[in-house]
Amino acid sequence: MVVYLDYQSTTPCDKRVLEAMLPYFSENFGNPHSTHLLGIKANEAVEIARQQIASLIKAEDPREIIFTSGATESNNLAIKGVAHYYGSKKKKIITSVIEHKCVLEACRSLSAEGYEIVFAPVLSNGIVDLDFLKNTIDDNTLLVSIMMVNNEIGTIQPVAEISELCRNHHAFFHCDASQAVGKIPVDVKYFDLMSMSGHKIYGPKGIGALYIRMNPRIRLTPLFMGGGQERGVRSGTLAVPLCVGIGKACEIAAQEMNSEYTRLLELKNYFIDRIFSNLTKVYLNGDREKRIPGCLNFSFEGVEGEGMMLGMPEICVSSGSACTSASLEPSYVLKAISIREDLAHCSLRIGLGRYTSKEEVTYATDKIISVVNRLRSMSPLW
Ligand SMILES: *Cc1c(COP(=O)(O)O)cnc(C)c1O
């Protein structure tokens, strides 16, 4: 039995999504920018998808949604696009130390161009330090980029409060909501720009979206030049099947989010209960309450995360974050919440999602418990 518990890294494409996409690879192959019959058909499908996304995130106008290749591109476009368009007036950008690498690196590249980048710390519960934000944001702040849900520890950031701070100082608020959309209610009324990704919500890989507020209108300098598609912000022929896929994924998420949230909450509690009642010296990283149910991050004292993974190859989890686990450096997110260095190496991220069953949780927790006990019994330090 293979148990997939890595839903923060990616999700399988829902069969209903795949079904919706298939005709747009072959029969309905038209270029949505062409004005003939097949072009119009493709364009209609794209516009339905745009509407499905807009409706899930409560955007007033579907034209506020533009398609990208994924959240990495959306984040780069939002941050660099705003910086380059407005940067002659204001130079300060605030982000947080636990953002996804693509946000951190986009900001770093701007600091080389003369922008002032401030990396806001987080408290030990994984929530951004609001007092720091209050003291740092000023009228020279162009942009604040803070995620809604963290991809390693699952904590939910106080976006309403951050939004109010930004509005008080006329700073734009960009939010990477890749791990929030489709899982918890997301409302773009708080944001000026918001990124999301198809493959985190049971849609296809290689597509994402960026919400760009139209009222008042936010302008962006594009990342690359071309035919001027997507309101001139993102040139290139749209990947129609992928657009249809992310749209369908949003439609399904809107219908199933509430019941799925309740189901995952029960599974999460079952998971935690089994771990805590069978093992000592286990720590749940990140706030106990302000988190999504589908993302758990544990530190098992005395047992390296990578070692655990080798001991249970059929359980697909992640030690630290997927992007950093190849380097065996302790995760920068766990460092940022100042857990002990040894505990950062002893962490596993467990993602529960749409296809996770109770049987799988029973099986996986049994495995984890026996691997931890075995590794601890072999460890001279334990
Ligand atoms: C996965 C993820 C990304 C990157 O998304 P892609 O679509 O794979 O480029 C960005 N931010 C967060 C929080 C993510 O979880």
Side-chain angles (χ1 to χ4, degrees), residues 13-21 202-204 245-246 248-249 252:
C13 191
D14 191 300
K15 295 276 186 323
R16 294 167 287 180
V17 169
L18 182 63
E19 285 285 306
M21 289 169 63
Y202 311 93
I246 192 175
K248 184 71 184 174
I252 296 170

Side-chain angles (χ1 to χ4, degrees), residues 13 15-31 38 42 45 203-207 238-246:
C13 191
K15 295 276 186 323
R16 294 167 287 180
V17 169
L18 182 63
E19 285 285 306
M21 289 169 63
L22 284 175
Y24 294 93
F25 284 104
S26 47
E27 306 93 270
N28 293 330
F29 62 88
N31 184 323
L38 278 179
K205 295 171 180 60
I207 184 123
L238 282 172
V240 180
L242 303 183
C243 296
V244 169
I246 192 175

Side-chain angles (χ1 to χ4, degrees), residues 305-306 309 317-322 324-325 328 345 347-349:
E306 289 290 317
M309 285 179 65
V317 293
S318 158
S319 72
S321 96
T324 53
S325 60
L328 294 188
H345 283 288
S347 78
L348 278 191
R349 179 184 68 187

Side-chain angles (χ1 to χ4, degrees), residues 8-9 69-73 75 100 102-103 147 149-151 176-179 196-200 206-208:
Q8 276 67 49
S9 165
S69 61
T72 299
E73 186 188 333
N75 287 336
H100 193 273
C102 59
V103 168
M147 68 200 329
V149 169
N150 181 266
N151 49 301
D176 175 359
S178 309
Q179 295 286 351
M196 57 182 281
S197 172
H199 73 103
K200 305 293 175 76
I207 184 123

Side-chain angles (χ1 to χ4, degrees), residues 43-294:
N43 185 54
E44 278 169 1
V46 167
E47 293 313 316
I48 289 171
R50 209 186 295 279
Q51 177 62 59
Q52 287 164 323
I53 298 172
S55 140
L56 179 64
I57 63 174
K58 303 191 165 55
E60 276 173 23
D61 188 328
R63 289 175 301 167
E64 294 176 294
I65 311 298
I66 70 141
F67 291 102
T68 65
S69 61
T72 299
E73 186 188 333
S74 297
N75 287 336
N76 271 272
L77 177 57
I79 294 166
K80 294 178 190 169
V82 163
H84 290 154
Y85 194 89
Y86 297 98
S88 59
K89 300 193 193 85
K90 296 177 173 186
K91 289 269 186 224
K92 186 161 160 181
I93 295 171
I94 305 176
T95 184
S96 89
V97 289
I98 61 165
E99 296 302 306
H100 193 273
K101 280 272 153 134
C102 59
V103 168
L104 297 175
E105 293 304 321
C107 288
R108 270 191 202 111
S109 80
L110 288 172
S111 96
E113 293 175 30
Y115 293 83
E116 182 198 349
I117 313 294
V118 180
F119 296 92
V122 294
L123 306 174
S124 61
N125 62 355
I127 307 292
V128 70
D129 185 342
L130 276 179
D131 288 329
F132 179 94
L133 269 189
K134 278 178 202 149
N135 294 329
T136 307
I137 194 167
D138 57 19
D139 292 344
N140 191 39
T141 305
L142 171 61
L143 176 71
V144 173
S145 179
I146 291 184
M147 68 200 329
M148 187 151 175
V149 169
N150 181 266
N151 49 301
E152 276 191 57
I153 53 178
T155 48
I156 303 172
Q157 301 299 333
V159 291
E161 283 92 332
I162 299 170
S163 174
E164 196 187 325
L165 276 179
C166 291
R167 298 226 161 116
N168 290 342
H169 291 277
H170 307 288
F172 294 125
F173 183 17
H174 165 250
C175 182
D176 175 359
S178 309
Q179 295 286 351
V181 168
K183 300 184 182 125
I184 54 174
V186 171
D187 190 328
V188 292
K189 73 181 178 199
Y190 298 121
F191 311 132
D192 298 303
L193 304 120
M194 192 211 80
S195 305
M196 57 182 281
S197 172
H199 73 103
K200 305 293 175 76
I201 56 169
Y202 311 93
K205 295 171 180 60
I207 184 123
L210 179 63
Y211 163 84
I212 310 171
R213 178 172 292 285
M214 282 179 92
N215 185 24
R217 184 162 180 204
I218 317 281
R219 310 289 292 259
L220 298 180
T221 300
L223 290 176
F224 40 80
M225 307 299 150
Q229 291 92 346
E230 298 297 90
R231 298 199 290 126
V233 178
R234 207 282 186 172
S235 286
T237 305
L238 282 172
V240 180
L242 303 183
C243 296
V244 169
I246 192 175
K248 184 71 184 174
C250 286
E251 184 192 60
I252 296 170
Q255 288 159 357
E256 301 184 354
M257 180 159 55
N258 289 345
S259 57
E260 182 64 358
Y261 184 91
T262 312
R263 195 185 74 87
L264 287 177
L265 199 60
E266 279 165 20
L267 274 187
K268 176 203 88 161
N269 290 335
Y270 178 60
F271 200 111
I272 293 180
D273 284 348
R274 283 180 66 88
I275 294 292
F276 283 149
S277 54
N278 287 286
L279 291 170
T280 57
K281 306 229 170 193
V282 184
Y283 310 93
L284 181 65
N285 298 313
D287 197 274
R288 279 305 275 258
E289 307 298 326
K290 293 173 195 142
R291 64 187 310 137
I292 55 161

